[in-house]
Amino acid sequence: TSKPTDLIKIGYMGTRTHAADLLMIMTPLRKFLYKNRSRVIFEMVGVYSDKRLEQCFDGYPVDFIDVGNAVEYENFIPWAANNLKWDYALAPLQDNLFNQCKSDIKFLDYALLGIPGIFSNVASYRSSVIHQNTGWLCENSTLAWCEALEYLLENTPSRQSMAHNAWEYAANNRTLAQCAIQWLQAVETIAIN
């Protein structure tokens, strides 16, 4: 279906292992999507193959995006750069033992794609997401997610600033070009010991 180009596009990407994380924010997300159904479209990549999620979004302004053959990460990122034109993106993450071992890869993906994000205020994101600077850190509560979704919808300059700052941080601190020396130092440390 064709959509008006002035809709605000909000996105989410993740594997099926993140279905529970997305389900965690289902109440505020559905409330937000219903309230703003004439202004927004929510695009989901990957995790949507979970039938529970498809049912939860039935009747809401949601598009399920198929990546085709770009499933492997090295193919997915170029595909994402060419196909994901999101105004902002979501990264909910439950605060549990399993997720405490995860990295901030979703922040890096969004940042290097130039997409500002709302991130759960959990250990994985606290070191790279500076609230309202490189992204929005959000408590895992209905009220907090409602506030974050609405704020980013209504504040284009803040979205643009967060996208710029996140890109600058990731490009200047977290790319291979910037971090390769750390690998050399690690190898030298291991070799010496």
Side-chain angles (χ1 to χ4, degrees), residues 111-143:
L112 292 171
L113 290 169
I115 302 169
I118 302 172
F119 304 88
S120 284
N121 188 5
V122 296
S124 299
Y125 296 124
R126 283 190 199 117
S127 63
S128 48
V129 180
I130 300 168
H131 184 61
Q132 292 186 320
N133 182 312
T134 58
W136 185 284
L137 279 177
C138 189
E139 297 302 322
N140 284 339
S141 72
T142 297
L143 182 61

Side-chain angles (χ1 to χ4, degrees), residues 125-190:
Y125 296 124
R126 283 190 199 117
S127 63
S128 48
V129 180
I130 300 168
H131 184 61
Q132 292 186 320
N133 182 312
T134 58
W136 185 284
L137 279 177
C138 189
E139 297 302 322
N140 284 339
S141 72
T142 297
L143 182 61
W145 275 92
C146 284
E147 177 186 337
L149 288 162
E150 289 289 344
Y151 180 87
L152 266 70
L153 174 66
E154 300 299 339
N155 290 280
T156 302
S158 289
R159 287 196 314 263
Q160 293 169 338
S161 176
M162 283 187 263
H164 172 78
N165 294 340
W167 187 90
E168 287 277 324
Y169 165 79
N172 292 324
N173 297 287
R174 300 292 295 282
T175 62
L176 183 59
Q178 301 303 321
C179 297
I181 190 70
Q182 295 172 3
W183 284 98
L184 178 59
Q185 292 168 346
V187 169
E188 288 173 347
T189 300
I190 292 167

Side-chain angles (χ1 to χ4, degrees), residues 74-88:
E74 64 271 8
N75 298 323
F76 175 74
I77 291 301
W79 176 91
N82 288 322
N83 292 283
L84 302 181
K85 306 302 179 200
W86 296 339
D87 293 286
Y88 61 103

